[in-house]
Amino acid sequence: MKRTGKLTSLMALSLLLAGAARAQSADPSGTATFVTTADPTFNPWSPNAFVESNLINELLFPGLTRWDKDLKPAPDLALSWKASADGLKWTFNLRKNVKWSDGQPLTADDVAFTFNDLVLKKELGANQGSTWRNAVTKVNVVNASTVEFILSRPWASLPTYLAYYAGILPKHSFAGVTDPWKFTAFNKQNPVSSGPFKVSQVVSGATVRMVRNENYWGGAPKLQGVTFKVVPDSNAQLAQLLSGDVDLIAIGNPETVDRVKSSPNLTLDIATSNIYYFVALNQDDPRFQDARVRQALLYAINRPAMISSVLKGYGQVATGPIAPIQKTYYNANVQQYPYDPAKAKALLAQAGWKPGPDGTLMKDGKPFVISMPTASYQQLVPISLLVQQYWKDIGVKADLKTMDWNSYIQQVIVKRDYQASAAWWSTPADPDVLPYYDSSAANVGNNIPNYKNPKLDALLENGRKAGSVLARRVVYNEAQALMAKELPYLYLWYPQSITAYNKRLQGMRGITQAADFQYANEWFVTK
């Protein structure tokens, strides 16, 4: 969502008065309805919890921090924090008198349990676990309202990452549970939570209903309840938004924007975000370990044309993982890859790939054929089809296999059973992208291509040690230049985030969708 600049005192007063007027018309028994693409998992650390679960878990499991309007870490369960002089210990002071939805107190023991017994246990394979194990060795309980994160190496962006889908779980609920990911009564049915809402009913494949959590530390939410409908198909999501059956959707297909604009009851928020789309090439495949091959496959893709056709112009060509929204750190002066099929063919020829009898490139007697799984999710299929066509034009054949979202996650993300695949990353608004590129995150973490480069590892490590904005900018400028040359991923574009919602739904802060869900107690609907 778009953000305005700094408000003057008069403007702020006007907005406060306007807000008060809107609050007077809020429906105290109002509810809001959203959509998700599949049955969610009520556990942000589950290896099976991804985009279908993330926003729902934001409502249930707050973290120690959350994002403010500038996407900087702000207090949530923790009121304050401080790093030691050597950067190897962070102390977090928790809110007092916070309760779980079952009335039990939320204390430092819950924070320590979440990290020590779930996230940091390598054998459990928690979602994003490698991100945390890379730097955090343990979490100590100082007293009921104070914890210490003990690090093996400095991590300047720790408070930022604690705001990124890092919810705290109730220790007492998991007592006696041997496998936290098979704890179905919690993960799929009725979790004990600490956010503004709690789960009241789950109908598999249909709905998740939530009601106010009267124990929420921030006071009772203005909405009486929230419902998520399971609607995998984006066209069906749009139809339900237009009919008023749901209140908000993320527009995955920009072709539908005009239909939203034509509805008097709906409004659109179009904003830049910290998201980039890519094609991942599995580095376990020796063919893709040659940078010339990676560069050639990117030269072969006409990204401006794809942005025009797939995104209807709502995006810009990506140069790396740090998006332009991070103005302080974004470096546009890096190696570029304009659409150039001739150069792509030349690079592949240098790498030993020559045309065979049918035009398909050959090397060592084998054709250049790439297995490319994709998912029936938003624009992934048309993106993959276009990439397939562009690669065909230079003699490279991509075999597409389309599957449902959960199957795709298992095959590509969890098992790394793929050769190439198009997807996207939505990351914290911080230049620290180590969890997505470091060698330690290959095979087990967010480093989906399993890319390994000691020079990049060192740069990203230095970025975490840098103590000033200037020092970080120098390091991350160099890292962006290296990534643009080496192409750990084939960077496609930075899309604009398009959210459509019913005008009766109000109270959102207008940050990003993920950040807005961290302030869901403020939402309301008008009578």
Side-chain angles (χ1 to χ4, degrees), residues 255-312:
E255 288 185 350
T256 62
V257 165
D258 287 343
R259 294 184 64 188
V260 174
K261 288 181 177 178
S262 67
S263 172
N265 296 324
L266 302 178
T267 190
L268 282 168
D269 275 316
I270 301 173
T272 56
S273 57
N274 209 61
I275 298 174
Y276 61 96
Y277 275 69
F278 57 80
V279 175
L281 300 173
N282 194 329
Q283 299 296 296
D284 292 346
D285 187 324
R287 297 175 298 179
F288 304 132
Q289 293 171 5
D290 188 331
R292 294 171 298 183
V293 173
R294 301 194 296 272
Q295 293 170 344
L297 292 175
L298 187 53
Y299 272 121
I301 300 173
N302 191 339
R303 293 175 291 171
M306 291 182 72
I307 290 170
S308 178
S309 63
V310 177
L311 301 184
K312 301 304 175 188

Side-chain angles (χ1 to χ4, degrees), residues 165-177:
Y165 305 123
I168 302 303
L169 295 176
K171 178 181 179 181
H172 63 283
S173 291
F174 286 79
V177 174

Side-chain angles (χ1 to χ4, degrees), residues 225-457:
V226 170
T227 296
F228 281 83
K229 301 176 73 171
V230 179
V231 185
D233 181 70
S234 59
N235 290 323
Q237 292 181 2
L238 177 63
Q240 296 199 29
L241 178 74
L242 292 169
S243 67
D245 290 336
V246 302
D247 291 297
L248 180 149
I249 64 170
I251 298 290
N253 181 0
E255 288 185 350
T256 62
V257 165
D258 287 343
R259 294 184 64 188
V260 174
K261 288 181 177 178
S262 67
S263 172
N265 296 324
L266 302 178
T267 190
L268 282 168
D269 275 316
I270 301 173
T272 56
S273 57
N274 209 61
I275 298 174
Y276 61 96
Y277 275 69
F278 57 80
V279 175
L281 300 173
N282 194 329
Q283 299 296 296
D284 292 346
D285 187 324
R287 297 175 298 179
F288 304 132
Q289 293 171 5
D290 188 331
R292 294 171 298 183
V293 173
R294 301 194 296 272
Q295 293 170 344
L297 292 175
L298 187 53
Y299 272 121
I301 300 173
N302 191 339
R303 293 175 291 171
M306 291 182 72
I307 290 170
S308 178
S309 63
V310 177
L311 301 184
K312 301 304 175 188
Y314 290 104
Q316 68 180 85
V317 170
T319 54
I322 298 174
I325 192 174
Q326 296 190 55
K327 296 178 181 176
T328 303
Y329 299 106
Y330 175 63
N331 179 12
N333 297 317
V334 297
Q335 186 163 331
Q336 306 289 322
Y337 298 88
Y339 177 54
D340 192 339
K343 191 162 188 174
K345 291 179 181 178
L347 281 168
L348 288 170
Q350 291 175 22
W353 292 96
K354 309 293 183 183
D358 65 350
T360 302
L361 296 181
M362 303 282 292
K363 184 178 180 181
D364 300 329
K366 298 179 179 178
F368 204 152
V369 180
I370 302 173
S371 170
M372 190 172 182
T374 187
S376 300
Y377 185 84
Q378 293 191 350
Q379 299 294 80
L380 290 185
V381 172
I383 291 170
S384 300
L385 288 169
L386 285 170
V387 170
Q388 179 190 47
Q389 183 59 52
Y390 285 126
W391 286 351
K392 181 182 178 182
D393 292 343
I394 60 168
V396 176
K397 182 180 179 183
D399 286 338
L400 265 57
K401 178 184 177 184
T402 303
M403 58 192 73
D404 66 85
W405 177 249
N406 286 335
S407 299
Y408 175 82
I409 291 296
Q410 283 299 312
Q411 179 168 332
V412 175
I413 308 300
V414 177
K415 298 179 180 176
R416 304 289 207 266
D417 182 12
Y418 77 100
Q419 293 176 341
S421 193
W424 77 96
W425 277 125
S426 172
T427 63
D430 190 281
D432 177 9
V433 294
L434 185 147
Y436 304 84
Y437 290 86
D438 192 74
S439 297
S440 65
N443 295 305
V444 294
N446 291 334
N447 183 347
I448 298 175
N450 295 334
Y451 177 78
K452 298 177 182 177
N453 184 330
K455 185 176 180 181
L456 181 59
D457 292 348

Side-chain angles (χ1 to χ4, degrees), residues 35-41 43-44 46-58 127-128 164-165 228 232 237 250 275 277 375-378 380 405-406 408-409 413 424-426 513-514 517:
V35 295
T36 186
T37 55
D39 283 333
T41 300
N43 186 331
S46 168
N48 295 317
F50 286 94
V51 66
E52 77 293 331
S53 308
N54 287 343
L55 295 180
I56 293 174
N57 283 329
E58 292 274 76
N127 191 353
Q128 301 192 63
Y164 185 69
Y165 305 123
F228 281 83
Q237 292 181 2
I275 298 174
Y277 275 69
S376 300
Y377 185 84
Q378 293 191 350
L380 290 185
W405 177 249
N406 286 335
Y408 175 82
I409 291 296
I413 308 300
W424 77 96
W425 277 125
S426 172
Q513 192 177 63
F517 270 66

